Amino acid sequence: GAGVSQSPSNKVTEKGKDVELRCDPISGHTALYWYRQSLGQGLEFLIYFQGNSAPDKSGLPSDRFSAERTGGSVSTLTIQRTQQEDSAVYLCASSSLAGLYNEQFFGPGTRLTVL
Amino acid sequence: KQEVTQIPAALSVPEGENLVLNCSFTDSAIYNLQWFRQDPGKGLTSLLLIQSSQREQTSGRLNASLDKSSGRSTLYIAASQPGDSATYLCAVRVPGNQFYFGTGTSLTVIP
């Protein structure tokens, strides 16, 4: 595709419900990252996928957060039993290789609001 | 743990001025540093990427410098335009392939 796409663009949910956020990386990009951007805060790393390797989950804030990447392409970030503090913009990025010098390309983000 | 700071948090300049945005990081063990812009409600757009072995990169009216030993980078914007108004973020890539981002500088260019 032309760029990284994310869906939905906006999601409003009630506290306690589960949500799924989707990321379609640039075709051929083997590395995929999820970040969270809270109001007035910098980007917070959540999880990183590289090819078929085990993902780096060190940034996930709690066990309510999980992510998977199917077929080395599309990724889904799942938040279970959402809390109000989960409200943020969730950004996905992809990179052609997990080499040292490659740029990240970002999607437009999903704005999650937990009521 | 790497910490990235951007100063100032907000900047307002008249159109046509040259300006400098600052980024500092606490651990010099980085692979590269990348500057992004973010428009309201949008994702991040990559502007410039500087390898750890490089000192600067240029693209059009933008020039980014890197002094790895002192943990600093600057983004220089020449002849600013209203369309440059956005939030500018810097990020460093560290061993382990994680990226650490600053909180950004919100730039307003006044026509």
Side-chain angles (χ1 to χ4, degrees):
Chain A
V4 179
S5 61
Q6 293 185 245
S7 60
S9 55
N10 281 284
K11 176 71 176 179
V12 180
T13 190
E14 294 179 348
K15 178 181 174 181
K17 296 285 181 68
D18 298 350
V19 295
E20 284 190 353
L21 312 180
R22 177 187 169 107
C23 172
D24 282 275
I26 292 173
S27 178
H29 279 193
T30 58
L32 187 148
Y33 299 78
W34 282 98
Y35 296 90
R36 178 169 69 176
Q37 187 175 34
S38 302
L39 188 64
Q41 302 294 316
L43 268 71
E44 176 188 5
F45 165 77
L46 297 177
I47 189 169
Y48 158 60
F49 295 90
Q50 165 51 23
N52 295 321
S53 302
D56 177 353
K57 304 179 182 180
S58 59
L60 295 179
S62 78
D63 59 8
R64 296 186 296 105
F65 287 72
S66 63
E68 62 178 22
R69 188 177 184 193
T70 55
S73 180
V74 172
S75 178
T76 302
L77 177 69
T78 301
I79 309 173
Q80 296 178 311
R81 304 181 303 282
T82 52
Q83 304 294 313
Q84 288 184 331
E85 60 263 28
D86 299 335
S87 296
V89 176
Y90 290 81
L91 292 163
C92 173
S94 71
S95 179
S96 61
L97 291 171
L100 304 180
Y101 306 120
N102 286 286
E103 295 177 65
Q104 286 192 313
F105 295 88
F106 278 80
T110 293
R111 181 174 298 278
L112 175 65
T113 303
V114 182
L115 302 176
Chain B
K1 180 184 175 182
Q2 180 74 262
E3 292 186 3
V4 182
T5 305
Q6 291 187 246
I7 296 174
L11 182 63
S12 183
V13 300
E15 181 177 4
E17 270 203 10
N18 303 324
L19 59 102
V20 175
L21 308 180
N22 296 292
C23 172
S24 61
F25 46 97
T26 55
D27 188 341
S28 61
I30 65 169
Y31 289 150
N32 61 41
L33 184 145
Q34 196 168 354
W35 282 94
F36 297 87
R37 71 173 278 168
Q38 185 175 30
D39 294 282
K42 302 289 180 64
L44 278 66
T45 300
S46 178
L47 297 174
L48 289 165
L49 182 145
I50 311 177
Q51 325 282 18
S52 62
S53 59
Q54 296 177 323
R55 299 284 291 184
E56 66 177 335
Q57 281 284 342
T58 298
S59 176
R61 294 183 295 109
L62 306 179
N63 176 279
S65 69
L66 174 65
D67 184 341
K68 198 174 77 161
S69 61
S70 67
R72 294 180 182 178
S73 176
T74 62
L75 179 67
Y76 174 84
I77 303 177
S80 58
Q81 303 172 358
D84 295 331
S85 298
T87 296
Y88 290 80
L89 295 158
C90 67
V92 295
R93 187 170 192 167
V94 303
N97 285 329
Q98 285 196 22
F99 288 77
Y100 288 89
F101 283 79
T103 52
T105 294
S106 177
L107 173 65
T108 302
V109 181
I110 304 166

